[in-house]
Amino acid sequence: MRHLKLIPSDTKIPFIKFRHIAVGVSILLIVASAVLTMMRGLNFGIDFEGGILLEVATDGPADIGGLRTRLGSLGLGEVQIQEFGEANDVLIRVQTPDEGGNDASQAVINKIKAALGEGVEYRRVEVVGPQVSGELIQSGVTAVILAIVLMLIYIWFRFEWQFSLGSVLALVHDVALTIGVFSFLQLDFSLQTIAAILTIIGYSMNDTVVVYDRIRENLRKYKRMDLGELVDLSINETLSRTVMTSGTTLLALFSLYIFGGEVLRDFTFAMIFGILVGTYSSIFIASPLLLYIGVKRDWSGTGDAKVQQAKG
């Protein structure tokens, strides 16, 4: 029985030849992401920023200017109104009252509904207080850091510390670039985005482990082969599996991005970007880093193991 292979099993693409360029570009992108995030910041969603969010649909095309005028006259503080999806879909975000708790928030919602009048469909109404949003930010950051640390420990026990360091650097690369693109595009950064980042971490690590497994097998099999050639061989041998996994996952994600609606769009975008970056980092970051760090060549436990570095 034949298996479908988008990539021939005997490819000989010289990935390691481009490792200096790939690592250099990645370092520049990570620095750019950090600078951009510090200067421009993230467009935190209501989960993290706190406030009242209403998703409404008007009978006809939304009059954004008119809505700003009507809601601005209510004295509710800063009011953000933006279109999304269809011409009649509108997101309204206002600050939560400093005092009064849920009763005050409900009073604000009632004022907005009265100002909007009839002919408006309310699809979503959310209220998040500032204390809750602060706790959510802390929990989200803790979850991402804990996931990366646990992955480091897992790879350390399964392989060696060199593999662990390489995989974690690749994960940091993926997370940094994902946050950077959200800052650049000012997409809504919410709990859904944190969930997407955690999923990206798991996906990228799984992809990296597949390549690392093949590298470890080949280290046992080809003890005299140049390390650069061995890593190239391992990447090419797993390339078909990598392309198939990433391709099928992206097909599902693109369908969700197109037909899933605005609520899932930022989450799906984060997943699509993360899958692409994670696949790239498994090939051009995690694997080539082994050449810079050096790995044990003798996995049998006998004899003196020498680290053979790739040429160039």
Side-chain angles (χ1 to χ4, degrees), residues 96-295:
T96 50
D98 295 330
E99 299 178 355
N102 292 331
D103 291 338
S105 297
Q106 187 60 49
V108 170
I109 294 172
N110 292 335
K111 281 185 179 181
I112 294 173
K113 289 183 176 181
L116 295 179
E118 300 294 332
V120 175
E121 176 187 355
Y122 296 91
R123 295 178 175 173
R124 181 165 51 126
V125 178
E126 296 179 8
V127 179
V128 177
Q131 181 178 357
V132 175
S133 63
E135 293 174 355
L136 290 175
I137 292 176
Q138 183 178 359
S139 300
V141 172
T142 301
V144 173
I145 294 175
L146 185 61
I148 293 177
V149 171
L150 291 176
M151 292 292 184
L152 185 149
I153 296 172
Y154 165 72
I155 297 297
W156 197 327
F157 277 98
R158 174 157 182 179
F159 296 96
E160 292 288 331
W161 70 267
Q162 296 96 333
F163 290 89
S164 179
L165 182 59
S167 61
V168 168
L169 288 176
L171 289 183
V172 172
H173 165 274
D174 300 344
V175 173
L177 294 193
T178 303
I179 293 175
V181 78
F182 264 73
S183 177
F184 177 72
L185 298 175
Q186 286 295 290
L187 299 175
D188 195 43
F189 196 89
S190 62
L191 280 178
Q192 288 185 348
T193 311
I194 295 295
I197 290 176
L198 292 173
T199 307
I200 291 166
I201 289 174
Y203 181 92
S204 179
M205 179 58 70
N206 177 70
D207 209 27
T208 300
V209 165
V210 170
V211 180
Y212 276 0
D213 260 331
R214 186 56 57 91
I215 291 175
R216 184 171 62 174
E217 292 174 8
N218 287 335
L219 283 171
R220 294 192 184 104
K221 188 175 180 181
Y222 306 106
K223 296 185 179 181
R224 296 184 180 275
M225 181 182 289
D226 177 84
L227 186 55
E229 295 178 5
L230 188 145
V231 173
D232 256 342
L233 174 65
S234 302
I235 296 174
N236 278 282
E237 287 178 344
T238 56
L239 189 60
S240 178
R241 181 265 179 200
T242 299
V243 171
M244 285 288 291
T245 304
S246 300
T248 52
T249 305
L250 287 173
L251 283 175
L253 289 173
F254 275 118
S255 299
L256 192 60
Y257 183 81
I258 296 171
F259 302 110
E262 286 293 329
V263 175
L264 295 176
R265 187 148 295 170
D266 289 343
F267 168 81
T268 312
F269 176 83
M271 287 292 298
I272 292 172
F273 183 81
I275 296 299
L276 294 173
V277 171
T279 303
Y280 162 84
S281 67
S282 298
I283 295 174
F284 288 103
I285 303 298
S287 300
L289 280 175
L290 297 178
L291 275 71
Y292 296 108
I293 303 171
V295 293

Side-chain angles (χ1 to χ4, degrees), residues 43 49 52-58 61-74 76-84 86-95 112 115-116 120:
N43 180 25
E49 200 172 60
I52 300 172
L53 178 70
L54 295 92
E55 178 185 333
V56 303
T58 57
D63 180 8
I64 300 299
L67 290 175
R68 285 198 177 99
T69 301
R70 275 187 280 172
L71 298 183
S73 63
L74 298 178
L76 303 177
E78 182 183 359
V79 179
Q80 299 178 8
I81 303 175
Q82 65 182 82
E83 289 181 289
F84 74 98
E86 302 297 331
N88 64 329
D89 293 330
V90 180
L91 278 178
I92 302 171
R93 181 184 294 165
V94 299
Q95 297 173 331
I112 294 173
L116 295 179
V120 175

